[in-house]
Amino acid sequence: MPAVTVLSGFSPAATHAVARTLLADDPRRILIRHDLTGVRDGVVHRIVRTAREVLEDEQVTLVHGCVSCTLREDVLPTLVRMARAHPDRDQVLLLPEAVEPEAVAAAARWCLVDGALVTDHVRFDSHTTVVDAGRLLDDITSTDSLSDRALHAADDDHRAVADVVARQIEYADTVVMWGEAPDGAFDGARLAVLLQRLAPWATHVPAAGFRPEARHRPDTPGVLARGLEGYPVGVHEPVADCGVVSVLFRARRPFHAERLNDALGAIVSPTLRGRGHLWLANRPDTAIAWDSAAGGLSMGSLGRWLAAQPEERWEEASEGRRLAAAVEWDPYYGDRGNQLAFVGLGLDAAELHRRLAACLVTDDELAAGEDTWMTWADPFAGCLRVGENPVRD
């Protein structure tokens, strides 16, 4: 069964350079890439090649101009078609800069091609993100949206550049640093530490030392749901290393919605990245996603806490979710809790922790109980419904 290396990255120059290296390393390897420049008009340009020849070079017309349609209708079927035609050749899937690898992994888990799962034909060995050392800080601190750079996948694609860059790094099992930092050795060391803090679970290698290895775990949860599934959401490194600080905040009492809302700016603005889940006192049934990058914030539903569901529904959750809940089950509040990770440059870890802790309910408020909590004003009304994706503020 052919092995697939998925290459992501926000710098086409960097990802293409690594792709060329992989083809040179194994001339039989097949590279598949799609130009999505015209996707909003329903047109995609597909190129399939080896180091020596072009196997396909076609314009594809899609019924709906969106990335998810492209994955379902052309990208994954192309992987299967190449596997059937060349079962002894491994593949490299080179994603366009605005595509997040988590979307590919999700589609591969459920998408059928000719009635069979994609994973019946190919083995996803690695989700590798290539980072351009010369532009990482500019992109991950940018306040641009994808539409500002004409990279949006659809008219309703409101994602931010910084959020896409962070998600590409975080989902990767392998992070490849390409190029040199613009300001010398210290700048390079700072970038290396930043990448380690953003994706402490990944293997980090320079471009010169990169070779595809089977590191991908198909059961890897989405970035924002890692804590619920028993995976780490980050590391706690409050002492600056080359200026990079990482803060892990955990608490087993809920946030007061109004106090949290009032403090959002002070929490988000000094950080480059924040992720995880939280518990709002006046929304006791819903696990809330926290997704912040470069001053922007999304909050949305991750579904219901297990404690808010009848036990006969628990089997619908993954085994990892049930085990993680059992380990820290509270006799009163079950699996409810907060697990947030933040990364920043020059971040005051103690001050951030104080700001977050000040937003939790007090002892007196905790003692008042859920009936009282439900009467409190809700500044998040209308944007945190169960089953919806996070909404960017």
Side-chain angles (χ1 to χ4, degrees):
M1 181 182 293
V4 177
T5 299
V6 180
L7 280 185
S8 306
F10 207 75
S11 167
T15 51
H16 282 242
V18 172
R20 289 193 296 270
T21 299
L22 294 179
L23 292 187
D25 185 60
D26 181 0
R28 291 174 53 79
R29 189 174 276 138
I30 295 173
L31 174 67
I32 300 167
R33 67 181 180 89
H34 289 72
D35 182 350
L36 300 186
T37 303
V39 69
R40 291 184 297 280
D41 298 320
V43 178
V44 173
H45 185 196
R46 181 209 315 131
I47 300 173
V48 182
R49 65 167 303 143
T50 67
R52 299 190 178 101
E53 61 178 330
V54 175
L55 303 178
E56 295 181 358
D57 188 341
E58 299 183 18
Q59 295 280 352
V60 182
T61 300
L62 300 175
V63 176
H64 306 288
C66 66
V67 170
S68 61
C69 300
T70 305
L71 291 174
R72 182 176 63 252
E73 297 178 19
D74 198 80
V75 175
L76 298 181
T78 299
L79 296 179
V80 173
R81 186 172 64 254
M82 288 298 109
R84 288 171 174 166
H86 309 282
D88 59 339
R89 297 188 181 188
D90 290 340
Q91 302 176 13
V92 177
L93 176 59
L94 177 58
L95 301 180
E97 58 262 50
V99 176
E100 298 174 24
E102 188 175 334
V104 177
R109 280 195 292 269
W110 61 263
C111 184
L112 300 179
V113 176
D114 297 334
L117 290 171
V118 176
T119 50
D120 290 342
H121 301 276
V122 297
R123 182 180 70 253
F124 288 87
D125 263 11
S126 175
H127 278 268
T128 298
T129 293
V130 182
V131 175
D132 186 339
R135 57 179 287 184
L136 172 60
L137 276 180
D138 287 340
D139 285 337
I140 207 166
T141 59
S142 173
T143 58
D144 288 351
S145 67
L146 293 181
S147 59
D148 291 333
R149 303 192 187 185
L151 294 173
H152 53 301
D155 291 339
D156 61 350
D157 183 359
H158 304 300
R159 291 175 298 160
V161 167
D163 199 42
V164 172
V165 172
R167 282 173 169 267
Q168 288 177 340
I169 294 167
E170 291 166 340
Y171 192 78
D173 51 71
T174 307
V175 177
V176 176
M177 176 82 83
W178 181 82
E180 299 292 333
D183 295 325
F186 177 82
D187 194 30
R190 180 174 60 171
L191 293 179
V193 175
L194 177 60
L195 290 172
Q196 288 280 353
R197 299 295 183 261
L198 289 171
W201 40 78
T203 298
H204 297 258
V205 296
F210 172 59
R211 294 294 181 273
E213 295 186 34
R215 296 192 177 106
H216 178 61
R217 295 180 57 183
D219 59 349
T220 300
V223 171
L224 303 181
R226 288 183 64 92
L228 293 176
E229 296 285 342
Y231 288 74
V233 297
V235 293
H236 190 61
E237 296 287 351
V239 178
D241 186 349
C242 297
V244 181
V245 175
S246 181
V247 178
L248 188 60
F249 179 83
R250 302 187 64 174
R252 291 309 302 268
R253 64 174 63 195
F255 281 106
H256 188 287
E258 283 194 300
R259 287 201 292 272
L260 179 62
N261 183 62
D262 291 343
L264 288 179
I267 294 170
V268 172
S269 60
T271 65
L272 291 179
R273 179 62 171 150
R275 59 180 177 241
H277 67 265
L278 57 92
W279 169 24
L280 289 178
N282 60 335
R283 290 180 175 268
D285 293 344
T286 307
I288 306 299
W290 177 288
D291 182 6
S292 62
L297 171 65
S298 297
M299 293 175 66
S301 170
L302 290 171
R304 298 171 70 87
W305 298 107
L306 294 184
Q309 305 179 56
E311 289 191 30
E312 58 266 23
R313 296 284 303 276
W314 292 5
E315 290 299 320
E316 299 174 11
S318 69
E319 182 180 6
R321 172 79 185 274
R322 298 194 305 271
L323 288 174
V327 168
E328 297 192 13
W329 192 266
D330 182 273
Y332 294 102
Y333 302 115
D335 58 328
R336 298 179 179 94
N338 307 290
Q339 207 174 147
L340 300 170
F342 297 90
V343 178
L345 297 176
L347 181 64
D348 186 332
E351 177 61 22
L352 178 61
H353 194 280
R354 283 194 295 269
R355 289 185 185 276
L356 289 163
C359 298
L360 298 172
V361 298
T362 65
D363 290 343
D364 288 343
E365 291 167 339
L366 189 69
E370 288 185 7
D371 289 343
T372 298
W373 304 346
M374 299 299 289
T375 67
W376 294 345
D378 187 358
F380 303 113
C383 65
L384 296 178
R385 298 187 181 94
V386 173
E388 290 189 351
N389 293 325
V391 178
R392 178 158 292 279
D393 292 341

